[in-house]
Amino acid sequence: MGDTIFGKIIRREIPADIVYEDDDVLAFRDLNPQAPVHVLFVPRKAIATLDAASAEDAELLGKLLLAAASYARQEGLAEKGYRTVVNCNEHGGQTVFHLHVHLLGGRPMHWPPG
Ligand code: 5GP
């Protein structure tokens, strides 16, 4: 699998506004935020898409979501709510091929998404 811009952020080769990290997960602010809070949660392990994840990644996928939920709670977003999104491949609108969870909050979200 090829390297991505998120791989470079994980390895600190390019800067990012990192808001959370642990042994498995890194979270940083999206460069082009779509809401007052827009943070990307990425696994340190380079998995290209949700479609490329396997059963051995189950715990890691859970950690990504729990890290997003914990951050949302910490930022005071939980009571009003927020949205988590995983875009997969072309029709999903994925542009960076290193699996990531978007956390969007701080405004009401609409449904269906575009
Ligand atoms: P996707 O479209 O793949 O679901 O989401 C990729 C996200 O990464 C987009 O929201 C885009 O704004 C963000 N992004 C792309 N390049 C960079 C970058 O270099 N730094 C940061 N912080 N975000 C980026």
Side-chain angles (χ1 to χ4, degrees):
M1 195 200 94
D3 193 20
T4 68
I5 197 93
F6 291 175
K8 291 180 169 57
I9 289 172
I10 290 165
R11 295 192 303 275
R12 305 295 215 270
E13 290 169 11
I14 62 167
D17 188 356
I18 294 168
V19 298
Y20 173 80
E21 65 179 313
D22 61 30
D23 288 347
D24 301 307
V25 175
L26 191 76
F28 50 89
R29 293 188 196 283
D30 196 293
L31 201 58
N32 184 24
Q34 301 300 312
V37 176
H38 187 173
V39 172
L40 303 171
F41 290 78
V42 308
R44 292 187 191 276
K45 178 181 176 183
I47 303 167
T49 69
L50 184 58
D51 183 58
S54 64
E56 74 178 32
D57 300 314
E59 187 177 354
L60 183 56
L61 295 177
K63 285 180 177 178
L64 278 181
L65 283 176
L66 289 173
S70 173
Y71 181 78
R73 206 175 306 121
Q74 175 195 311
E75 293 302 299
L77 299 173
E79 189 177 340
K80 286 213 163 180
Y82 54 86
R83 181 167 292 173
T84 52
V85 174
V86 179
N87 295 323
C88 181
N89 283 333
E90 184 186 350
H91 280 193
Q94 185 174 5
T95 58
V96 179
F97 288 85
H98 183 128
L99 176 67
H100 50 282
V101 174
H102 295 255
L103 169 68
L104 297 141
R107 66 166 173 83
M109 302 293 152
H110 305 291
W111 195 263

